[in-house]
Amino acid sequence: MAVTRTFSIIKPDATRRNLTGAVTNMLEKAGLRVVASKRIHMTKEQAEGFYAVHKERPFFGELVDFMISGPVVVQVLEGEDAVARNRKIMGATNPADADQGTIRKELAESIEANTVHGSDSDENAAIEIAYFFDESEIVG
Ligand code: RTP
Ligand code: MG
């Protein structure tokens, strides 16, 4: 299986609870390597642009407000089949539905404050990585 990249966000509920290390530890134990990382506080425009695919969804406004409610850590992760590997360790969107041992089961607060974002395809991973990182910031 090929080594690929995915994009991850450690969301404001996790930075608020000082869980960035705990989340990163779970990602690393799942076989992912952090090859770029930075802590940022997104602007409203940045968050709206990032979640533009969801702009017709009823939760869009609340999601954007949540994502700008505190700092986040944006990361590029590398590993074998990184997108699927990351989605597996993240667990289901709603922590109530997430499997034991996943980040969302162990750490998330609610369907909105669900601790992590992860790209859902290789195509979106490339788009999302480029939204936050220059290639020169990624060190494999
Ligand atoms: P993500 O994009 O953040 O990795 O999560 P996901 O694929 O599991 O979920 P997605 O359907 O893409 O939704 C994006 C984020 O919107 C929030 N959400 N709120 N209130 C709601 O019903 C609702 N549904 C989704 C979550 O924070 C979800 O991660
Ligand atoms: Mg998604």
Side-chain angles (χ1 to χ4, degrees), residues 11 51 54 57 59 62-63 66 87 90-93 104 111-114 116-120:
K11 294 186 177 185
Y51 281 120
H54 293 317
R57 309 269 288 269
F59 57 80
E62 280 178 12
L63 174 60
F66 167 64
R87 300 287 300 186
M90 288 165 60
T93 307
R104 284 166 167 168
I111 189 168
E112 178 175 83
N114 64 358
V116 278
H117 163 84
S119 308
D120 57 14

Side-chain angles (χ1 to χ4, degrees), residues 1-134:
M1 189 112 15
V3 173
T4 58
R5 286 177 178 172
T6 191
F7 174 75
S8 169
I9 304 178
I10 303 178
K11 294 186 177 185
D13 65 286
T15 60
R16 178 169 47 74
R17 290 177 291 149
N18 206 21
L19 293 175
T20 64
V23 171
T24 303
N25 191 33
M26 291 178 80
L27 297 172
E28 290 179 342
K29 281 194 171 143
L32 294 158
R33 180 179 299 270
V34 180
V35 294
S37 183
K38 59 189 170 190
R39 182 173 169 108
I40 63 173
H41 197 140
M42 274 195 241
T43 64
K44 187 161 197 177
E45 293 66 33
Q46 232 176 345
E48 285 173 345
F50 181 74
Y51 281 120
V53 290
H54 293 317
K55 69 174 180 295
E56 307 305 333
R57 309 269 288 269
F59 57 80
F60 178 72
E62 280 178 12
L63 174 60
V64 167
D65 286 345
F66 167 64
M67 291 300 288
I68 65 174
S69 68
V72 300
V73 179
V74 291
Q75 297 177 317
V76 180
L77 308 177
E78 234 172 50
E80 285 189 7
D81 203 8
V83 167
R85 187 177 288 266
N86 186 40
R87 300 287 300 186
K88 188 170 178 204
I89 188 61
M90 288 165 60
T93 307
N94 187 346
D97 302 329
D99 289 340
Q100 293 291 338
T102 62
I103 293 169
R104 284 166 167 168
K105 183 67 175 189
E106 303 302 324
L107 302 176
E109 295 183 313
S110 67
I111 189 168
E112 178 175 83
N114 64 358
T115 307
V116 278
H117 163 84
S119 308
D120 57 14
S121 67
D122 288 349
E123 294 71 25
N124 284 334
I127 292 166
E128 292 174 0
I129 289 168
Y131 194 79
F132 288 103
F133 289 97
D134 288 330

